[in-house]
Amino acid sequence: MKRVILGVLAGALVLGFAAQAQAVNSDDFSGTDLDSMWQVMNSDKATLTVADGKLKFEPKHNSNVWGNLDAAFVYQETNGDFDVSANFLMDYGEVGVVSGIIAYSPTTKDHANRDGQWVTLKLWGRANDAVIQYQRRENHNAALGYLGEAPGYKPPAGEIPIAMRMTRTGNEYRAWYKNEGEGDWIAVGGTVDSALANPVRIGVYAGIDAAAGGNLTVWYDDFIEASNPIASVDPNGKAAAVWGELKQ
């Protein structure tokens, strides 16, 4: 009888924990403030504005995502699987910059035994051009499925519209992008096995890795979770369309 009771109690605890797991929600950034579903890490590293259906990052310097997660990071917490995408536009010049999607666990030790590990799909803007990278913390080991530079993609520095997507299934992560937010999803790297301890913070970021100089502005036009989409959001081609609106 004790075994039965203990089994029932254990099951109830598991169900209770699952019920408390926060679902990842879509957001079209309507209104004038971030929705309460979001939290902000490193809020002092960027000016964040919500207006005209966009989340605007104006990052400060010394805000990179490589050895540390120092960039402003807007996130939701989850214990479960997700399939998220974001359309955004990065405008920069004369400095190294980063933006993209990241899944971050502050309680997981990384491969160098430091607190905090992540999986990120990153748009890295350099002096003359930008590349897409698929990384964990300070590492993009190809043998593990990561990628230091996605082939066939190297737009010039300046105005870059793009869509990115990342999925988590258990401990497996996959990533894709769309050039200018159009066409089919293009896979980046392989399936990555990363045991990020829950809760995982999933969201978007932007930062300037240098101590001075240059400029960066990033507009996130929407954030879509495939299992909980927004009816009004049609992600295909939206990044390019929004860039046209911003330039008018």
Side-chain angles (χ1 to χ4, degrees):
M1 181 63 69
K2 287 183 178 180
R3 289 183 179 178
V4 172
I5 293 172
L6 288 173
V8 170
L9 287 172
L13 287 171
V14 170
L15 289 173
F17 178 76
Q20 294 173 10
Q22 181 68 38
V24 180
N25 293 301
S26 299
D27 194 357
D28 60 2
F29 301 119
S30 59
T32 57
D33 295 294
L34 274 175
D35 191 276
S36 60
M37 72 178 77
W38 296 105
Q39 299 182 62
V40 182
M41 179 175 164
N42 302 326
S43 59
D44 61 327
K45 289 295 187 175
T47 299
L48 300 173
T49 308
V50 179
D52 301 322
K54 302 168 191 68
L55 169 60
K56 182 181 180 182
F57 281 72
E58 295 175 282
K60 299 179 182 179
H61 295 86
N62 294 317
S63 56
N64 200 7
V65 176
W66 177 235
N68 295 296
L69 202 174
D70 294 324
F73 173 33
V74 176
Y75 68 91
Q76 301 176 44
E77 286 193 341
T78 184
N79 296 318
D81 298 341
F82 55 74
D83 182 349
V84 300
S85 62
N87 290 299
F88 64 101
L89 303 119
M90 185 171 81
D91 184 12
Y92 80 100
E94 300 179 354
V95 71
V97 300
V98 295
S99 57
I101 297 175
I102 189 168
Y104 170 62
S105 171
T107 61
T108 299
K109 293 286 187 180
D110 79 341
H111 48 286
N113 202 38
R114 296 171 292 190
D115 289 332
Q117 180 60 295
W118 60 74
V119 175
T120 183
L121 183 61
K122 176 198 292 183
L123 182 57
W124 176 31
R126 308 179 296 188
N128 299 312
D129 55 32
V131 297
I132 295 173
Q133 301 183 307
Y134 188 33
Q135 301 171 330
R136 61 180 182 174
R137 185 176 182 179
E138 210 166 14
N139 185 283
H140 39 246
N141 187 338
L144 300 176
Y146 296 100
L147 192 65
E149 183 177 322
Y153 183 88
K154 195 175 289 186
E159 307 162 357
I160 303 175
I162 192 170
M164 287 187 169
R165 176 184 174 194
M166 180 184 292
T167 65
R168 179 197 194 196
T169 306
N171 288 331
E172 293 185 344
Y173 294 80
R174 298 183 65 194
W176 300 262
Y177 78 97
K178 288 184 182 183
N179 185 24
E180 298 192 354
E182 299 179 332
D184 297 329
W185 288 110
I186 301 169
V188 181
T191 300
V192 166
D193 189 354
S194 185
L196 298 182
N198 290 318
V200 168
R201 300 177 181 180
I202 177 69
V204 295
Y205 65 90
I208 301 174
D209 60 16
N215 62 85
L216 169 65
T217 305
V218 179
W219 292 265
Y220 283 95
D221 186 44
D222 52 55
F223 182 87
I224 304 170
E225 212 295 323
S227 63
N228 187 20
I230 302 170
S232 63
V233 172
D234 178 8
N236 193 51
K238 193 172 183 188
V242 172
W243 183 245
E245 293 174 7
L246 290 171
K247 292 182 71 176
Q248 290 180 359

